[in-house]
Amino acid sequence: MLRVHFTPHDLQNIRIAQHPDPLWELVCSVCRLQTRQGPLDFGQWRGTAYDRLRRDPVVKGALHLLRLLIPASGYIPDFLTPSNTGGELFAGIDQVRGTPRGQLTRELTRLAESRPVPAWATTLGRPGDKGLVPLTKALATYHRALLQPFWPRIRTAIDNDIGRRASTLLGGGTQALLEGLRPLARWNSPTLEVDYPVDRDLHLAGRGLLLVPSYFCWGRPTALADPGLTPVLVYPVAKVPLDGEGATEQGLVRLLGRTRAAVLAEVANRNARTTSEVAEAVGVTLPSVSYQIGVLRDGGLVASRRDGKYVLHTATPLGLRLLGGGTPGLVDSPLPRGPFSLCSK
């Protein structure tokens, strides 16, 4: 278990990352390639990635280098996931390239206690040292080949989660936000108890906490190993499998009926929709929409919660999976393509 200890100042300084973090997604996705975990969430993406790796020796070489630093479990150096990237890949890569030599030495030494380190790591500081050039090239190559084609759907899944968390924060404050992390974490004021592979304590000491939603994180939240770095907690979001064909419009309509399929698609198009908003968008009466939402809720495709005088509806992970292939004829706006999952650093 990871116990995150808050002070009153920390509770006023909880932030949610506003964009997918490309380096956290990269690190977690390398973990996912090395195991069979999450076959429903990641199986189709893994198949696509393996096919690219068989055909492209440059990408295969990049993954080989990255796997030397990113094991499927256990310690992963923190310098691979720097803070304050602004959601930009090359800003993050620049930070990796500029990692202080002292931090590199500490973290690579720790890594070497459990596994061999790459050859370039042993030449740091010596004549002919090329620094982190091989690593930064591998990061860019891997991301471009195996993540960039799916980035719009990764971003949609994370945007949906951010919207839900922000709504919770506005409606219930930081306590509701932290309690909303169940079942991955339990808020036991003033400590957040997080499901974690090792037993440790993290004292925020007034620095606050950055929550980072992640597509490729799976199983449990993860955090930086060095307690002296900016505190972050990376957690999985709800998603549908990448590269999945999902349901076709015709198949979805035959399964649910046109009105019910349109209601599900409209609910999934936003972070949370009121009954009136869905009725107006779909073009049917309020009683009819209420009935259709009730049927979808009983089927596990929609979840509803009261927020003041309104009832808000969102698509469940099962509902998102059903819509995973997109249903362009049902609504004008694109459907979300997002999931639930975690990663261990």
Side-chain angles (χ1 to χ4, degrees):
M1 177 184 293
L2 169 65
R3 291 171 293 274
V4 184
H5 300 273
F6 287 75
T7 67
H9 182 71
D10 294 314
L11 289 172
Q12 300 173 19
N13 193 22
I14 298 176
R15 294 160 294 142
I16 306 172
Q18 297 300 294
H19 310 280
D21 188 305
L23 291 180
W24 272 110
E25 296 301 335
L26 188 153
V27 166
C28 289
S29 70
V30 172
C31 294
R32 303 289 76 80
L33 278 178
Q34 298 181 71
T35 73
R36 296 181 180 273
Q37 295 170 327
L40 294 179
D41 287 333
F42 305 112
Q44 295 177 69
W45 171 79
R46 269 195 291 254
T48 302
Y50 292 153
D51 181 64
R52 177 65 185 269
L53 291 166
R54 282 191 295 267
R55 294 184 289 105
D56 194 328
V58 175
V59 179
K60 184 176 181 180
L63 175 61
H64 175 73
L65 189 155
L66 293 174
R67 288 179 60 184
L68 296 175
L69 295 177
I70 306 171
S73 61
Y75 175 72
I76 299 173
D78 291 327
F79 76 86
L80 293 171
T81 50
S83 300
N84 304 317
T85 66
E88 296 293 334
L89 172 65
F90 290 102
I93 288 179
D94 283 343
Q95 288 193 51
V96 171
R97 187 182 294 113
T99 304
R101 191 57 56 94
Q103 181 184 355
L104 274 177
T105 301
R106 288 194 307 273
E107 295 183 5
L108 291 173
T109 298
R110 179 173 176 178
L111 180 67
E113 294 174 356
S114 59
R115 61 191 291 115
V117 297
W120 58 262
T122 64
T123 65
L124 290 173
R126 297 179 183 176
D129 171 22
K130 296 182 180 180
L132 298 176
V133 172
L135 172 62
T136 55
K137 286 184 176 179
L139 291 170
T141 297
Y142 177 96
H143 190 279
R144 182 175 61 251
L146 302 184
L147 295 184
Q148 189 61 42
F150 308 99
W151 204 248
R153 282 179 278 174
I154 293 171
R155 186 176 60 242
T156 295
I158 290 175
D159 286 349
N160 286 342
D161 183 88
I162 291 170
R164 286 190 289 269
R165 305 291 176 188
S167 178
T168 298
L169 180 63
L170 289 172
T174 56
Q175 179 173 331
L177 176 65
L178 293 171
E179 289 178 344
L181 293 173
R182 286 179 178 267
L184 309 174
R186 183 170 68 93
W187 175 238
N188 185 14
S189 181
T191 303
L192 184 66
E193 300 171 344
V194 184
D195 181 23
Y196 209 69
V198 297
D199 192 63
R200 59 176 289 207
D201 290 270
L202 174 60
H203 294 271
L204 300 180
R207 295 172 296 169
L209 180 67
L210 176 63
L211 297 173
V212 180
S214 169
Y215 189 99
F216 281 97
C217 186
W218 188 85
R220 57 172 64 91
T222 187
L224 296 172
D226 185 348
L229 296 174
T230 302
V232 301
L233 185 69
V234 182
Y235 64 92
V237 300
K239 49 189 164 282
V240 293
L242 295 175
D243 205 39
E245 294 182 359
T248 63
E249 175 185 350
Q250 182 180 6
L252 195 61
V253 168
R254 291 180 63 187
L255 176 66
L256 300 177
R258 176 161 292 276
T259 299
R260 197 168 297 157
V263 168
L264 176 60
E266 180 59 31
V267 168
N269 274 341
R270 302 291 187 272
N271 296 321
R273 304 288 273 161
T274 67
T275 308
S276 297
E277 287 172 335
V278 177
E280 181 179 357
V282 175
V284 297
T285 65
L286 196 61
S288 176
V289 162
S290 296
Y291 172 76
Q292 301 296 357
I293 288 176
V295 173
L296 293 169
R297 185 169 52 244
D298 290 343
L301 303 180
V302 166
S304 303
R305 61 181 175 84
R306 180 164 291 280
D307 185 8
K309 63 179 181 179
Y310 299 105
V311 177
L312 300 179
H313 311 289
T314 56
T316 66
L318 179 60
L320 291 174
R321 283 195 175 93
L322 189 61
L323 293 166
T327 55
L330 297 175
V331 289
D332 293 331
S333 52
L335 298 176
R337 301 173 183 270
F340 265 132
S341 204
L342 328 173
C343 171
S344 224
K345 195 174 180 222

